[in-house]
Short mmCIF file of all heavy atoms in Angstrom, two decimals:
data_model
loop_
_atom_site.label_atom_id
_atom_site.label_comp_id
_atom_site.label_asym_id
_atom_site.label_seq_id
_atom_site.Cartn_x
_atom_site.Cartn_y
_atom_site.Cartn_z
N GLN A 645 -36.85 9.51 11.21
CA GLN A 645 -36.16 8.39 10.59
C GLN A 645 -34.68 8.72 10.38
O GLN A 645 -34.32 9.80 9.95
CB GLN A 645 -36.80 8.06 9.23
CG GLN A 645 -36.18 6.82 8.58
CD GLN A 645 -36.95 6.41 7.33
OE1 GLN A 645 -37.93 7.04 6.99
NE2 GLN A 645 -36.52 5.35 6.69
N GLY A 646 -33.82 7.75 10.68
CA GLY A 646 -32.39 7.94 10.57
C GLY A 646 -31.74 8.38 11.86
O GLY A 646 -30.52 8.36 11.98
N GLN A 647 -32.54 8.80 12.84
CA GLN A 647 -31.97 9.21 14.11
C GLN A 647 -31.60 7.98 14.95
O GLN A 647 -32.15 6.90 14.74
CB GLN A 647 -32.96 10.08 14.89
CG GLN A 647 -33.32 11.36 14.14
CD GLN A 647 -32.11 12.24 13.88
OE1 GLN A 647 -31.26 12.36 14.75
NE2 GLN A 647 -32.04 12.84 12.70
N PRO A 648 -30.65 8.12 15.90
CA PRO A 648 -30.21 6.95 16.67
C PRO A 648 -31.33 6.24 17.41
O PRO A 648 -31.31 5.02 17.54
CB PRO A 648 -29.18 7.53 17.64
CG PRO A 648 -28.69 8.78 16.98
CD PRO A 648 -29.87 9.32 16.21
N ASP A 649 -32.33 6.97 17.90
CA ASP A 649 -33.39 6.35 18.69
C ASP A 649 -34.64 6.05 17.87
O ASP A 649 -35.68 5.72 18.43
CB ASP A 649 -33.78 7.27 19.88
CG ASP A 649 -32.61 7.45 20.84
OD1 ASP A 649 -31.80 6.51 20.96
OD2 ASP A 649 -32.52 8.53 21.44
N TRP A 650 -34.54 6.16 16.55
CA TRP A 650 -35.73 5.94 15.73
C TRP A 650 -36.06 4.45 15.70
O TRP A 650 -35.19 3.59 15.60
CB TRP A 650 -35.47 6.44 14.30
CG TRP A 650 -36.69 6.34 13.42
CD1 TRP A 650 -37.79 7.11 13.44
CD2 TRP A 650 -36.88 5.37 12.38
NE1 TRP A 650 -38.67 6.72 12.47
CE2 TRP A 650 -38.14 5.64 11.82
CE3 TRP A 650 -36.12 4.32 11.89
CZ2 TRP A 650 -38.66 4.90 10.77
CZ3 TRP A 650 -36.63 3.58 10.86
CH2 TRP A 650 -37.89 3.87 10.31
N TYR A 651 -37.35 4.12 15.79
CA TYR A 651 -37.77 2.73 15.85
C TYR A 651 -38.92 2.52 14.87
O TYR A 651 -39.89 3.29 14.85
CB TYR A 651 -38.24 2.38 17.27
CG TYR A 651 -38.92 1.02 17.37
CD1 TYR A 651 -38.19 -0.15 17.26
CD2 TYR A 651 -40.30 0.93 17.56
CE1 TYR A 651 -38.79 -1.38 17.35
CE2 TYR A 651 -40.91 -0.31 17.64
CZ TYR A 651 -40.16 -1.46 17.54
OH TYR A 651 -40.76 -2.69 17.61
N ALA A 652 -38.80 1.50 14.04
CA ALA A 652 -39.86 1.15 13.10
C ALA A 652 -40.63 -0.03 13.66
O ALA A 652 -40.05 -1.10 13.87
CB ALA A 652 -39.26 0.80 11.74
N PRO A 653 -41.94 0.11 13.92
CA PRO A 653 -42.71 -1.02 14.44
C PRO A 653 -42.83 -2.11 13.40
O PRO A 653 -42.81 -1.84 12.20
CB PRO A 653 -44.07 -0.39 14.76
CG PRO A 653 -44.16 0.80 13.87
CD PRO A 653 -42.78 1.31 13.73
N PRO A 654 -42.94 -3.37 13.84
CA PRO A 654 -43.08 -4.48 12.89
C PRO A 654 -44.43 -4.40 12.19
O PRO A 654 -45.38 -3.80 12.69
CB PRO A 654 -42.96 -5.73 13.77
CG PRO A 654 -43.40 -5.27 15.12
CD PRO A 654 -42.96 -3.84 15.23
N PRO A 655 -44.56 -5.01 10.98
CA PRO A 655 -45.86 -4.99 10.29
C PRO A 655 -46.89 -5.79 11.07
O PRO A 655 -46.56 -6.72 11.81
CB PRO A 655 -45.53 -5.65 8.94
CG PRO A 655 -44.33 -6.49 9.20
CD PRO A 655 -43.55 -5.75 10.23
N PRO A 656 -48.17 -5.42 10.93
CA PRO A 656 -49.23 -6.16 11.64
C PRO A 656 -49.29 -7.61 11.17
O PRO A 656 -48.98 -7.93 10.03
CB PRO A 656 -50.50 -5.38 11.29
CG PRO A 656 -50.16 -4.63 10.03
CD PRO A 656 -48.71 -4.32 10.12
N GLN A 657 -49.67 -8.50 12.11
CA GLN A 657 -49.74 -9.92 11.82
C GLN A 657 -51.20 -10.37 11.68
O GLN A 657 -52.10 -9.84 12.32
CB GLN A 657 -49.08 -10.72 12.96
CG GLN A 657 -47.61 -10.35 13.20
CD GLN A 657 -46.72 -10.87 12.10
OE1 GLN A 657 -46.86 -12.01 11.66
NE2 GLN A 657 -45.81 -10.02 11.65
N GLN A 658 -51.42 -11.34 10.84
CA GLN A 658 -52.74 -11.92 10.66
C GLN A 658 -52.58 -13.43 10.52
O GLN A 658 -52.01 -13.90 9.55
CB GLN A 658 -53.42 -11.34 9.41
CG GLN A 658 -54.88 -11.81 9.24
CD GLN A 658 -55.52 -11.20 8.03
OE1 GLN A 658 -54.91 -11.17 6.98
NE2 GLN A 658 -56.73 -10.71 8.16
N ASP A 659 -53.02 -14.17 11.54
CA ASP A 659 -52.89 -15.63 11.55
C ASP A 659 -51.42 -16.05 11.43
O ASP A 659 -51.07 -17.01 10.75
CB ASP A 659 -53.70 -16.28 10.41
CG ASP A 659 -55.19 -16.00 10.56
OD1 ASP A 659 -55.64 -15.83 11.70
OD2 ASP A 659 -55.89 -15.93 9.52
N GLY A 660 -50.56 -15.30 12.13
CA GLY A 660 -49.15 -15.65 12.14
C GLY A 660 -48.39 -15.24 10.89
O GLY A 660 -47.22 -15.51 10.76
N GLN A 661 -49.06 -14.59 9.90
CA GLN A 661 -48.41 -14.17 8.68
C GLN A 661 -48.46 -12.65 8.59
O GLN A 661 -49.38 -12.02 9.11
CB GLN A 661 -49.11 -14.78 7.44
CG GLN A 661 -49.06 -16.30 7.40
CD GLN A 661 -47.66 -16.81 7.26
OE1 GLN A 661 -46.83 -16.18 6.63
NE2 GLN A 661 -47.39 -17.97 7.86
N PRO A 662 -47.48 -12.06 7.93
CA PRO A 662 -47.53 -10.61 7.76
C PRO A 662 -48.81 -10.19 7.06
O PRO A 662 -49.23 -10.80 6.08
CB PRO A 662 -46.28 -10.31 6.91
CG PRO A 662 -45.37 -11.46 7.16
CD PRO A 662 -46.27 -12.65 7.37
N PHE A 663 -49.41 -9.14 7.57
CA PHE A 663 -50.68 -8.67 7.05
C PHE A 663 -50.46 -7.82 5.80
O PHE A 663 -49.60 -6.94 5.79
CB PHE A 663 -51.42 -7.86 8.12
CG PHE A 663 -52.77 -7.35 7.68
CD1 PHE A 663 -53.86 -8.19 7.65
CD2 PHE A 663 -52.93 -6.03 7.32
CE1 PHE A 663 -55.09 -7.72 7.27
CE2 PHE A 663 -54.16 -5.55 6.92
CZ PHE A 663 -55.25 -6.40 6.89
N ALA A 664 -51.20 -8.10 4.74
CA ALA A 664 -51.10 -7.33 3.51
C ALA A 664 -52.11 -6.21 3.53
O ALA A 664 -53.30 -6.42 3.76
CB ALA A 664 -51.35 -8.24 2.29
N MET A 665 -51.61 -4.99 3.34
CA MET A 665 -52.49 -3.83 3.30
C MET A 665 -53.35 -3.88 2.04
O MET A 665 -53.00 -4.51 1.05
CB MET A 665 -51.65 -2.55 3.31
CG MET A 665 -50.78 -2.40 4.57
SD MET A 665 -51.74 -2.31 6.07
CE MET A 665 -52.51 -0.70 5.84
N PRO A 666 -54.51 -3.23 2.07
CA PRO A 666 -55.38 -3.22 0.88
C PRO A 666 -54.62 -2.67 -0.33
O PRO A 666 -53.94 -1.66 -0.25
CB PRO A 666 -56.52 -2.28 1.31
CG PRO A 666 -56.53 -2.34 2.79
CD PRO A 666 -55.12 -2.51 3.20
N GLY A 667 -54.77 -3.40 -1.45
CA GLY A 667 -54.11 -2.99 -2.68
C GLY A 667 -52.65 -3.36 -2.75
O GLY A 667 -51.97 -2.99 -3.70
#
Side-chain angles (χ1 to χ4, degrees):
Q645 185 172 359
Q647 299 299 320
D649 296 329
W650 184 74
Y651 170 72
Q657 302 287 316
Q658 186 178 45
D659 297 331
Q661 298 296 327
F663 181 77
M665 299 298 291

